[in-house]
Amino acid sequence: MATIDDWLEGARLRTLPAAAAPVLIGVGGAVSLAAFSPLRSILALLVALLLQIGVNFSNDYSDGVRGTDDWRTGPPRLTGGGVVSPRTVLMAALACFALAGALGLILVALSGQWFLLIFGALAVAAAWFYTGGSNPYGYLGVGFSELFVFVFFGLMATVATTWVQIPVAPWWLWTAASGVGLLSVALLFVNNIRDIPTDEVAGKRTLPVRMGDRYARLSYQLLVFIGLGFGVVSLTALPQIVYLTVAIAFLFAFIFVTRPVRQGAAGRDLLAVLRNTGFLTLAYGIVLAVGLALS
């Protein structure tokens, strides 16, 4: 019988900072625009976290029933490891999606921005068909996975959080959203770099598999560097000394987090990079949220 620890591992808590970061930035944007709503901000955060957990359970189910996880090097999955029945994992994923949808409906009703329901439905569809369905786009390796992560866990999550509080989206909000989107893509990239050997065996053709280890590692570093760079550009309204401090801190963070990838870490050694990239994304969200709120 599965333990609480098994379910927590299945929920992949290390990915949740990346889900929270864009919402924090969106909240900072709302504060900057003098439109902060605690209730709407909390609802936006819960929706983002539930969608991420739903994605994680959905991937666990889909990869498990396909046998993709039979060769994985990371922590064992609920379905692939035989810890929980596939149906139970599927029900957990659908429950998360349903609860996220219900909270999202409340949020949209409060804001009156009904068109956002379309984007919410698209986000759930993108989450499911990443590894679900007869032809999951996550197995194609043509960039759809990275594009949808950038759009839904970067642009949409950030801008929509501000938009449900005030229907305004200044350029600096889009720049900050682009940065967190690229960091989220970097998180996906380093996860797939770790799995290149096993994904090749399982027939899962992710973009890193197609690019090869060397170019995938270079791409990961560029994603992190450019993502942090977008954040620096977003904070130009801050006092110069604060602005320079943030820029230098981001540079050192980039060097520290990406070093193992440059040095050739592989397999389980990349789990620390995955964790640190998640924490970097969260730190980016906190810094941007505070910086925008004070601008």
Side-chain angles (χ1 to χ4, degrees):
M1 181 170 296
T3 65
I4 293 178
D5 287 341
D6 291 328
W7 279 105
L8 291 177
E9 184 61 49
R12 306 184 205 180
L13 299 185
R14 65 178 64 86
T15 66
L16 298 189
V23 176
L24 295 177
I25 297 170
V27 170
V31 172
S32 178
L33 296 167
F36 171 63
S37 167
L39 175 58
R40 297 183 191 186
S41 298
I42 291 173
L43 284 172
L45 179 61
L46 290 175
V47 169
L49 294 176
L50 285 167
L51 281 176
Q52 181 64 65
I53 295 173
V55 169
N56 293 340
F57 283 141
S58 173
N59 292 345
D60 187 303
Y61 165 78
S62 297
D63 283 341
V65 296
R66 276 192 171 83
T68 306
D69 285 340
D70 292 347
W71 294 276
R72 65 176 285 102
T73 56
R77 297 293 183 228
L78 295 172
T79 307
V83 180
V84 180
S85 71
R87 177 179 173 81
T88 301
V89 178
L90 176 59
M91 290 300 103
L94 295 178
C96 289
F97 288 144
L99 185 54
L103 295 178
L105 184 59
I106 295 172
L107 180 58
V108 168
L110 288 173
S111 65
Q113 304 298 322
W114 293 99
F115 75 96
L116 290 176
L117 290 177
I118 299 173
F119 292 99
L122 290 174
V124 173
W128 172 254
F129 288 108
Y130 171 53
T131 56
S134 57
N135 293 294
Y137 65 84
Y139 283 49
L140 300 178
V142 294
F144 286 153
S145 304
E146 291 74 17
L147 174 62
F148 290 149
V149 165
F150 177 77
V151 170
F152 292 114
F153 287 95
L155 301 183
M156 193 185 85
T158 303
V159 176
T161 298
T162 302
W163 196 270
V164 295
Q165 300 178 64
I166 178 172
V168 176
W171 69 268
W172 44 261
L173 185 63
W174 289 102
T175 308
S178 297
V180 75
L182 290 174
L183 290 176
S184 294
V185 174
L187 194 63
L188 174 64
F189 237 76
V190 74
N191 180 78
N192 288 340
I193 290 172
R194 179 200 65 193
D195 292 339
I196 285 177
T198 54
D199 281 346
E200 286 182 319
V201 173
K204 186 176 182 180
R205 303 288 291 175
T206 63
L207 190 55
V209 167
R210 290 189 180 276
M211 295 176 71
D213 185 81
R214 177 184 176 187
Y215 290 108
R217 289 172 184 270
L218 177 60
S219 297
Y220 164 78
Q221 295 173 68
L222 287 174
L223 287 166
V224 175
F225 185 80
I226 297 173
L228 294 175
F230 271 122
V232 172
V233 172
S234 304
L235 299 176
T236 53
L238 288 175
Q240 187 174 24
I241 184 64
V242 178
Y243 179 76
L244 290 175
T245 300
V246 171
I248 293 172
F250 277 179
L251 178 59
F252 277 104
F254 163 76
I255 294 172
F256 171 76
V257 171
T258 61
R259 179 181 298 163
V261 175
R262 288 193 301 276
Q263 294 177 342
R268 290 184 177 274
D269 291 338
L270 286 174
L271 290 176
V273 181
L274 187 63
R275 178 199 63 210
N276 292 339
T277 305
F279 283 136
L280 175 61
T281 305
L282 179 61
Y284 174 96
I286 294 172
V287 171
L288 267 290
V290 173
L292 293 178
L294 295 177
S295 298

